Amino acid sequence: MAPIMFGALVVFLLLGYPVAFSLAANGLIFALVGIWLGLFEPKFLQALPERVYGTMNNEVLLAVPFFTFMGLILERSGMAEDLLDTIGQVFGSIRGGLAYAVIFVGALLAATTGVVAASVISMGLISLPIMLRYGYDRRVASGVIAASGTLAQIIPPSLVLIVMADQLNRSVGDMYEGAFVPGLLLASLYALYIFLVSTIFPSVAPGLPLEAQTLRDPDQKIVPSRVLGAIAAAGFAFLIATGSLPHLTTGLIPGVANQAVWGVVAFVLLYFIMSGTARLLTPSLFIALSLSIAGAIFLMTETGVKFGADYVVLTMSATVGLAFVVAVINRVFRLGLLSKLAEQVVFVMVPPLALIFLVLGTIFIGVATPTEGGAMGSVGALILAFARGRLKFDLMRQATYSTAKLSAFVLFILLGARVFSLTFYGVDGHKWVEELLVSLPGGQMGFLIAVNALVFVLAFFLDYFELAFIIIPLLGPAADKLGIDLIWFGVMLAVNMQTSFMHPPFGFALFFLRSVAAKVPYIDRVTGKLMQPVTTGQIYWGAVPFVCIQLVMVALIILFPGMVTHYKSGGVQLDQQQIQQQFENLSPGLDTTTPPPLDLGFGK
């Protein structure tokens, strides 16, 4: 009955019925059929009200509306526009600079908004016309915008990670910490792809012309800045060669691969410095950043605590905080310590980075739960919007309405999934799925290959929320039985499920970009030229390389599990053998020695 039930659900979904009602109706219909055939115990349905109430009483799920509200407020506060404009000026002079800026801002928005639609639409409206204006290939431009927007699913505070943790019965904080490094590495792989494309085909991603670099400081000499940058790169290379930096990440990526990653980082740093981004550096900023980075490295090395996501957030916050102090002093006293571009970068980046520390930093170091972090993030977003003069009643109304709509969507799917799973478990469907998956040839590796292939194919047709509520509860017990770490398993599947946004022709990120990309020829407002529209085929072909990169990321997580399992380094680990030994010491020989007879003295 379980396979028939699962097949019927697929038919309901293919017919176009809403997922929540398809799940609930399928569960109730097959419960009645099972009772009629004697395959389902009616008393199972008595647990249904408790399951529904338990879902509505789940405090972890409160993080969903909090993070959604925070993301919507930030998306409408103009933060994305300032970030894209400023970071575009930083990278704009080099080939592929605007694409690098989109990836960087996409990762930053992902760590603050956590909403894919907001990121894709914001960057599509702002960056796509600029990229087309200066000669970017339409496939490269549309692909990098859609892919960078999907980083909101894997970089905390991702909504899907909250749902994933809830479905796998694991801590949301651990899921966030485990996903942080893979999310940053995925963004780095996107940047590596742009580097290769812009190097091999320079015409598809040209640099900005001088007239477009509005924040360029004509009085600043680029040679001293490049000298300072070269010194920074040389110092970085020295720390890598002596093993100081690679030692911090041996728990994430062991062996030669760890050295190779740091070598690539040093090369990229030198490339960007020599290519023009050194304009950010002035002697005072160089000294401030060097001191803060040296202090952070000393702190991580001397404390003996393994490198992890918490230190990434704290180090980044300390570095940017020091730069912000220098920028404020420079502006108040007009000291001329910073270039015009450097000062603008500092003031634009501090608010989102402060919000990242407020949310993720407090979660990672254990000060706040994810729900409390989401509440603080919402308050922080309101404060930022108020400081920018964007906090209006209409903004609050739209954000509240959209938050309620998405939260109700998630809750109804979860309630439908609870009804479906109750009947599915009642007919022993979970045992059927578990035995089917555990008995796959190849053990753990065979199981992982089969599961990833299944999720990848289903992502063509199902949204990531639907995958999380329908598929993950069936896969989790089998993974647990095979001895697979469920946090690692959840992060791996989250990266795989990210392809659901990018799959042609049903990817939601592609739909979001299609809604804001030009459909007819238009006159560019800056150059006055007639611009051709972006076709749907160009959007689809642009997404294909990034889907392949996401699959490469899945393979890297399988090959280097330490980049996820480092979350254990901050927790208390229990040694089961020592615990057993302590119990034996408390009652030596209890199982082998007969206790003496009880003597109350009545016979004397």
Side-chain angles (χ1 to χ4, degrees), residues 188-343:
S188 303
L189 291 179
Y190 290 166
L192 178 62
Y193 168 73
I194 295 298
F195 171 76
L196 294 176
V197 169
S198 61
T199 302
I200 300 172
F201 308 103
S203 61
V204 303
L208 286 177
L210 288 178
E211 61 269 17
Q213 300 174 31
T214 56
L215 292 177
R216 186 170 179 267
D217 193 344
D219 298 329
Q220 186 186 8
K221 304 297 184 182
I222 191 65
V223 174
S225 297
R226 282 182 172 169
V227 171
L228 292 174
I231 294 172
F236 204 72
F238 175 77
L239 291 174
I240 294 172
T242 57
S244 299
L245 289 177
H247 172 72
L248 297 174
T249 57
T250 51
L252 303 178
I253 304 176
V256 180
N258 187 33
Q259 292 279 356
V261 168
W262 280 105
V264 171
V265 170
F267 170 76
V268 170
L269 178 65
L270 183 62
Y271 169 78
F272 280 120
I273 288 172
M274 294 296 107
S275 298
T277 54
R279 290 176 300 137
L280 285 172
L281 282 175
T282 56
S284 55
L285 183 62
F286 174 79
I287 293 171
L289 293 179
S290 299
L291 289 175
S292 60
I293 292 173
I297 293 174
F298 176 80
L299 178 65
M300 286 189 286
T301 305
E302 295 301 318
T303 54
V305 179
K306 293 182 180 179
F307 183 86
D310 47 357
Y311 274 96
V312 173
V313 175
L314 293 175
T315 303
M316 177 181 63
S317 303
T319 304
V320 175
L322 184 56
F324 180 69
V325 171
V326 173
V328 170
I329 294 174
N330 178 69
R331 174 169 289 187
V332 172
F333 296 101
R334 299 180 180 179
L335 301 176
L337 299 175
L338 301 178
S339 64
K340 180 181 177 182
L341 179 60
E343 186 176 277

Side-chain angles (χ1 to χ4, degrees), residues 551-592:
L551 295 180
V552 169
M553 189 66 227
V554 173
L556 289 177
I557 292 176
I558 295 175
L559 292 175
F560 304 107
M563 70 175 67
V564 176
T565 56
H566 70 87
Y567 77 92
K568 296 179 181 178
S569 62
V572 178
Q573 304 298 314
L574 300 178
D575 189 332
Q576 297 297 330
Q577 292 184 352
Q578 290 185 2
I579 294 174
Q580 184 65 31
Q581 183 63 40
Q582 289 180 5
F583 274 111
E584 291 177 358
N585 292 338
L586 288 174
S587 54
L590 185 62
D591 296 333
T592 58

